[in-house]
């Protein structure tokens, strides 16, 4: 490709990227709608929502996240963020080493990595430990209680897919509303 053509293509790509960076946050909030249920747990749900039917193991893991959140003395909103994060990272399955399907050492409900300092493999595959580790990071995020869920989760997780957490907010909110007082 000649230099003139390459510069033109790169210039157009740069404009498209810049437009996406500035328009993306506006578009992400354009379809936010009020959530039915407990306003203390969540203020708005952003974007299209995903939902999976939970088996007994996944429901037990969601309940373990809620119990750990209560143990930490955190509000329902922390449980909503934690469950939505786990839905994105593992579909609420406590994943062990995935062999060739895993390109690094991510484990557990939150796909935490021993090599990144989250804990030992035994620790991060313990639902209570993993939740408390995630929520310790969450508490260090200024304003996490009121920021959009996906921003709070991404600040802790540093995912390659930062907007993916938002799709689980409604299901996480429903789970917490159903099981917080049980």
């Amino acid at each position: 490709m000649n230099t003139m053509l390459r510069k033109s293509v790169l210039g157009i790509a740069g404009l498209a990227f810049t437009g996406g960076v500035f328009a993306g946050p506006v578009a992400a909030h354009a379809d936010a709608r009020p959530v039915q249920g407990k306003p203390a747990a969540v203020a708005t749900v952003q974007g299209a929502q995903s939902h999976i039917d939970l088996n007994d193991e996944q429901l037990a893991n969601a309940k373990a996240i809620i119990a750990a959140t209560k143990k930490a003395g955190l509000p329902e909103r922390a449980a909503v963020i934690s469950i939505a994060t786990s839905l994105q990272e593992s579909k609420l399955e406590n994943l062990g080493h995935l062999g060739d399907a895993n390109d690094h050492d991510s484990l557990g409900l939150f796909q935490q990595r021993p090599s990144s300092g989250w804990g030992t493999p035994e620790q991060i595959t313990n639902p209570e430990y993993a939740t408390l580790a995630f929520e310790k990071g969450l508490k260090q995020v200024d304003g996490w209680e009121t920021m959009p869920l996906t921003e709070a989760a991404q600040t802790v997780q540093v995912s390659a897919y930062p907007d993916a957490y938002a799709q689980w907010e409604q299901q996480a909110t429903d789970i917490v509303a159903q099981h917080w007082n049980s």
Side-chain angles (χ1 to χ4, degrees):
M1 183 181 295
N2 71 37
T3 304
M4 182 78 124
L5 180 58
R6 184 177 17 192
K7 285 182 179 180
S8 296
V9 169
L10 290 175
I12 291 169
L15 287 173
F17 173 78
T18 303
V21 166
F22 290 108
V26 173
H29 296 284
D31 62 349
R33 67 188 199 297
V35 171
Q36 304 303 315
K38 297 186 175 197
V42 65
T44 61
V45 171
Q46 296 179 335
Q49 294 295 291
S50 295
H51 183 277
I52 59 170
D53 292 329
L54 302 181
N55 63 32
D56 291 342
E57 177 190 355
Q58 292 166 307
L59 184 56
N61 288 330
K63 289 178 178 182
I65 290 171
I66 291 169
T69 302
K70 287 179 172 183
K71 183 176 184 176
L74 292 172
E76 292 172 68
R77 180 70 176 156
V80 170
I81 295 168
S82 299
I83 289 173
T85 301
S86 182
L87 279 163
Q88 175 58 33
E89 295 293 344
S90 70
K91 303 299 183 271
L92 282 168
E93 294 177 4
N94 197 4
L95 301 174
H97 192 273
L98 301 175
D100 291 339
N102 198 355
D103 63 349
H104 40 69
D105 60 341
S106 298
L107 302 168
L109 295 171
F110 296 89
Q111 288 295 282
Q112 294 160 328
R113 299 179 67 188
S115 64
S116 295
W118 284 102
T120 67
E122 294 75 25
Q123 289 172 319
I124 59 181
T125 54
N126 174 296
E128 180 179 312
Y129 178 91
T131 301
L132 295 175
F134 173 80
E135 291 176 351
K136 179 181 178 184
L138 184 64
K139 289 189 294 188
Q140 295 174 4
V141 177
D142 288 333
W144 68 267
E145 301 93 333
T146 57
M147 71 176 44
L149 180 145
T150 200
E151 289 179 30
Q154 172 61 10
T155 303
V156 177
Q157 292 293 104
V158 192
S159 169
Y161 305 98
D163 298 323
Y165 302 105
Q167 69 183 313
W168 300 105
E169 188 162 7
Q170 186 64 60
Q171 184 168 12
T173 300
D174 294 344
I175 292 168
V176 171
Q178 184 175 4
H179 298 287
W180 184 263
N181 292 316
S182 58

